[in-house]
Amino acid sequence: GRAVLAKTIKGGEASIFVGFAAALLAVLLGTVLGALAGYFGGRVNDLLEWFYNVFTSIPYILLILAFAAVLGKGLTTVIMILGITGWTGIYRLVRAEYLKHAARDYVRAAEAIGASDARRMFIHILPNISHVILIQLSQYVVQFIKAEVILSFLGFGVPVEMVSWGTMLAEAQNELVIGKWWQLTAAGAAMAVLVTAFSLLTDALRDALDP
């Protein structure tokens, strides 16, 4: 009984919020852990590498569904699930950048004048690898919007009373039987436009920021 256009706009609000919030959480976790592993090395690196290998050894969609089954439904729960399971990609990139930059002259100079480890990690090195983080953030937004749609479609995402593109697609599969295709088309088209826009943004960021 709702207008399809109104549902599509309202659904976009939920899907985009989940995508941005989960991407920020994943990038924060991955950046901090990657910085610790790459900067300190040794046992810290070995421990975090073991943790990373445990996460990456489990198929991504199964890991998401397992967390969803344990934690239940809800907007905050979906954000936590996607953020906690999605940090591995940015971790690997940030760790490699910190391994490279930690031995460079400007970091050694900062050490020589008495800068603390935290200052060298987050004041000196972090701005020099920010382009990697920004590019990954824009990619994660797209990835997590698609993941939210899949979770909501399967019944593990946002609650039924909330509108998202995933719940619209779940409703549309029943409507297709009686020939009502417009809800499927509206949600699919909105998602396609947003994903295309963010893909173009990611390409532009890579060209502008990657030295």
Side-chain angles (χ1 to χ4, degrees), residues 140-157:
Y140 275 0
V141 171
V142 174
Q143 179 182 327
F144 290 153
I145 286 172
K146 292 191 287 186
E148 183 276 325
V149 169
I150 293 169
L151 281 173
S152 297
F153 179 76
L154 295 174
F156 291 103

Side-chain angles (χ1 to χ4, degrees), residues 119-136:
R119 185 172 180 82
R120 275 176 274 158
M121 287 168 65
F122 298 112
I123 303 298
H124 293 276
I125 299 178
L126 186 62
N128 287 292
I129 66 165
S130 59
H131 62 279
V132 174
I133 296 169
L134 284 172
I135 291 167
Q136 281 297 115

Side-chain angles (χ1 to χ4, degrees), residues 22-34 87 90 122 133 137 140:
L24 286 171
L25 177 59
V27 165
L28 179 64
L29 284 173
T31 299
V32 171
L33 295 177
W87 60 270
I90 186 72
F122 298 112
I133 296 169
L137 177 64
Y140 275 0

